[in-house]
Amino acid sequence: MNFGKQLKEGLLTENPVLVQLLGMCSTLAITTSISNGLGMGVSVLIILTCSNIVISLLRKIIPDQIRIAAYIVVIAGFVTMVDLLLQAYFQDIAESLGVFIPLIVVNCIILARAESFASKNKVLPSAVDGICQGIGYTLVLLVMSAIRELLGSGSLAGNQIFPAEYGALMMALPVGGFLTLGCLIALMQWAQDKAANKEGK
Amino acid sequence: MDYKELNLIGSSSPHIRTKDGTAHIMAEVLIALVPALAFSVYNFGWYVLTVTAVSVVGCCFFEWLYRTLMKKNNTIGDCSAAVTGVLIAFVCPPNIPLWIILIGDFFAIVIVKQLFGGIGKNFLNPALAARAFMLSWASAMSTWVAPGSHLPVFGTVDVVTSATPMAYLHENNLQGLMEVYDLRDMFVGFIGGSLGEVSALLLILGGVWMIFRKIITWYIPVSYIGTVAVLTFLFPRGNDPMTWMLYNVLGGGLILGAFFMATDYVTSPVSHKGQVIFGVGCGLITVFIRYFGSYSEGVCYAILVMNLTVWIIDKNTRPSRFGVVKEPKAPKEAKEPEKKKEAAAK
């Protein structure tokens, strides 16, 4: 398995949010500030990597019929750990993310990677896959939350760039989440089309 | 004989040609908007003209910029961006800061129109979508200049504000409204409100001009305004039905929306039957928002919501092909024995 290819897939060609369109709910809901985006992204990155490793280790033991239930149990275990860790050491982030940390249990990125990758591959590639997909997710969250925080409240990671009254309220509201995500997906499609055209020539 | 001089073009039928193109239609719409704009200048002051000019220039600039950057053919000559610019100015308060107008222009042209493929592909009315986005700056978008205030060319911060007729109607204070503005004020336009919506008379004049020039059909405006009129007449909230109905029809953006926004070709149904359904839907939502919503005016959201239903309306009002007779539906009794037979056979 080569790390570069998997990283490229996680970041660009198979990006979990922009191409696979997974994990939309948390993406739209929590990208209101950079600290939220970073907290959520890193949490998912850790949980995804750990659950991928464990599921890959157990892939021959888990009976096929109840595999989803088994995955959920594994994922829920790691989510609980991360949730408690956040509450212990990063209380601000835990409070502002609220219910979306426990909801990572049903985040479809993690379930999809378990089902389509970790259950079919060895431990090391699964761990790398978890890291790459997690980085892809985190990066999109960071870009989205930076755009929304800047346009919505005029600040970037808490530093005021321009006065808040010039900020577009809509960008901080759910509307802004949909708008930003739509524009990013469009940009991604456009870039991929362009790359494909270049290769074709 | 030199055939080239005859300017014959070999193409399939139809061969009758007119000069009507997008630019021609948009120019007619602009002409229809001029009287209302002129009245607005009279009513609010010269700043109105500045806002409209900036909005038109902004829309054309963003259209040109996007098409140039994306290396697409430039569609700036079809005037559709100019019409969008005027309409964005028309739905804003008269003393709107210019930077908000420019952001609205950007949103309408780039996000709503060009990202979906340019003219003819937008799924929402660009001007109204821009207005919905510009409500981000709620205080600037709800500061209503009093009629008769003379805003200077470059605007001013100290303005006399007044409640719009819609605010009175939202509080069900018809008596108070009648003391401030009588019906003649409402009809001619000596009232507070959005830049272009105040003069019902001149907007109707522009709308009738467009119908007369066959730019739009009467189906959407009449069914829209008719629905609002009937509903407000039937449910006057304890006021005199006739007066309540007239104030509701003449106040707010109803006339502007019905003639100039709801009739946008791209975002309205194709068939006449569909257009009536569209108009009635707009009217229903407008009245619902005015009666039960927290906003005092519902025209913008009503048209936006109905824009999203156009594909369903179009799908279900497809006209039958000429000469094709619809098969009559079989009566229910005739079908049921067949089903029983089938069941028995099984």
Side-chain angles (χ1 to χ4, degrees):
Chain A
M1 262 298 149
N2 94 46
F3 183 74
K5 188 185 156 230
Q6 275 187 314
L7 189 65
K8 193 188 163 199
E9 277 184 358
L11 286 183
L12 298 170
T13 53
E14 294 289 317
N15 187 293
V17 181
L18 297 185
V19 179
Q20 299 179 51
L21 302 184
L22 295 173
M24 299 275 101
C25 170
S26 55
T27 309
L28 292 169
I30 58 95
T31 48
T32 45
S33 71
I34 290 189
S35 63
N36 273 2
L38 190 66
M40 184 73 184
V42 172
S43 308
V44 168
L45 172 67
I46 295 167
I47 295 165
L48 181 56
T49 313
C50 296
S51 69
N52 260 9
I53 293 172
V54 172
I55 287 164
S56 175
L57 279 171
L58 298 175
R59 69 184 185 279
K60 284 173 186 153
I61 308 169
I62 297 175
D64 208 29
Q65 290 87 343
I66 58 156
R67 64 183 192 284
I68 301 288
Y71 299 160
I72 296 267
V73 172
V74 172
I75 297 165
F78 286 113
V79 170
T80 313
M81 283 183 219
V82 168
D83 190 16
L84 293 177
L85 280 173
L86 275 179
Q87 284 181 24
Y89 295 104
F90 302 99
Q91 215 181 352
D92 294 349
I93 294 180
E95 265 168 26
S96 66
L97 288 178
V99 76
F100 287 99
I101 290 291
L103 275 179
I104 298 177
V105 176
V106 284
N107 192 317
C108 26
I109 297 174
I110 299 173
L111 213 55
R113 293 328 285 180
E115 171 79 8
S116 68
F117 199 92
S119 61
K120 290 168 192 153
N121 288 289
K122 288 183 182 159
V123 180
L124 193 62
S126 300
V128 172
D129 180 72
I131 293 172
C132 294
Q133 296 283 331
I135 292 175
Y137 178 74
T138 312
L139 207 68
V140 173
L141 286 199
L142 275 179
V143 172
M144 264 186 77
S145 48
I147 295 174
R148 284 181 69 188
E149 196 185 332
L150 181 66
L151 297 182
S153 50
S155 64
L156 214 50
N159 310 310
Q160 208 69 29
I161 307 283
F162 58 85
E165 69 256 31
Y166 289 100
L169 179 72
M170 292 293 161
M171 295 307 283
L173 296 180
V175 184
F178 284 102
L179 276 173
T180 320
L181 186 61
C183 291
L184 283 180
I185 292 172
L187 188 70
M188 192 74 182
Q189 293 286 330
W190 176 75
Q192 283 198 345
D193 264 12
K194 223 172 176 194
N197 278 344
K198 244 183 193 172
E199 273 175 28
K201 278 173 191 169
Chain B
M1 190 177 176
D2 191 358
Y3 287 104
K4 274 180 189 167
E5 271 177 22
L6 281 174
N7 197 15
L8 295 170
I9 298 166
S11 68
S12 64
S13 59
H15 293 293
I16 301 168
R17 293 178 154 265
T18 72
K19 285 172 190 163
D20 291 9
T22 313
H24 167 82
I25 290 169
M26 293 299 162
E28 295 273 5
V29 176
L30 284 176
I31 292 171
L33 286 167
V34 165
L37 178 63
F39 182 84
S40 188
V41 172
Y42 171 72
N43 199 21
F44 295 121
W46 288 105
Y47 184 61
V48 164
L49 213 56
T50 317
V51 169
T52 313
V54 166
S55 182
V56 170
V57 172
C59 279
C60 293
F61 171 74
F62 287 125
E63 174 123 339
W64 170 83
L65 187 72
Y66 182 90
R67 303 298 290 197
T68 309
L69 286 182
M70 299 302 283
K71 292 180 183 132
K72 294 183 177 189
N73 61 325
N74 242 315
T75 49
I76 193 168
D78 65 20
C79 291
S80 64
V83 170
T84 304
V86 175
L87 287 179
I88 290 175
F90 268 38
V91 294
C92 291
N95 67 331
I96 184 95
L98 293 175
W99 60 272
I100 298 184
I101 281 280
L102 286 174
I103 292 175
D105 291 348
F106 174 82
F107 190 81
I109 294 296
V110 176
I111 308 270
V112 180
K113 192 173 155 198
Q114 293 298 345
L115 282 186
F116 287 87
I119 184 170
K121 307 246 171 66
N122 50 305
F123 71 109
L124 287 176
N125 184 306
L128 288 178
R131 183 180 193 276
F133 187 76
M134 285 150 82
L135 280 174
S136 286
W137 298 277
S139 63
M141 287 296 284
S142 51
T143 310
W144 305 106
V145 180
S149 44
H150 301 284
L151 298 171
V153 182
F154 294 109
T156 170
V157 275
D158 28 282
V159 291
V160 182
T161 59
S162 72
T164 62
M166 296 323 291
Y168 284 104
L169 291 178
H170 195 237
E171 290 164 2
N172 197 3
N173 184 5
L174 186 62
Q175 214 56 46
L177 176 56
M178 282 163 77
E179 282 165 19
V180 187
Y181 303 125
D182 60 18
L183 267 175
R184 192 188 65 95
D185 290 341
M186 296 290 290
F187 186 61
V188 181
F190 298 106
I191 53 173
S194 290
L195 194 155
E197 76 182 15
V198 285
S199 176
L201 169 68
L202 294 173
L203 286 170
I204 293 173
L205 204 70
V208 171
W209 159 266
M210 287 201 299
I211 293 172
F212 173 70
R213 301 287 287 176
K214 297 194 174 149
I215 304 296
I216 59 171
T217 54
W218 57 269
Y219 296 90
I220 292 178
V222 168
S223 58
Y224 188 176
I225 297 171
T227 308
V228 173
V230 167
L231 276 180
T232 49
F233 187 78
L234 290 180
F235 305 101
R237 303 176 89 180
N239 301 296
D240 172 44
M242 198 62 198
T243 325
W244 175 257
M245 185 266 272
L246 283 174
Y247 271 98
N248 253 298
V249 168
L250 296 174
L254 179 63
I255 308 280
L256 176 65
F259 279 108
F260 292 93
M261 313 269 187
T263 52
D264 179 7
Y265 294 144
V266 187
T267 54
S268 64
V270 179
S271 67
H272 293 162
K273 203 166 109 192
Q275 289 176 349
V276 171
I277 297 173
F278 181 84
V280 170
C282 285
L284 282 174
I285 300 174
T286 303
V287 174
F288 284 166
I289 294 178
R290 282 183 182 182
Y291 275 34
F292 309 117
S294 57
Y295 282 114
S296 55
E297 174 59 311
V299 169
C300 171
Y301 293 109
I303 298 176
L304 284 177
V305 169
M306 290 310 287
N307 282 167
L308 298 177
T309 66
V310 165
W311 67 278
I312 309 177
I313 298 174
D314 267 344
K315 208 170 156 189
N316 290 306
T317 55
R318 195 179 294 168
S320 56
R321 271 180 290 167
F322 183 69
V324 176
V325 183
K326 245 189 191 173
E327 268 185 52
K329 277 182 187 171
K332 274 185 182 175
E333 297 90 67
K335 265 188 179 174
E336 273 174 10
E338 278 176 23
K339 273 184 189 169
K340 276 179 192 166
K341 265 184 207 168
E342 278 173 19
K346 275 176 189 170

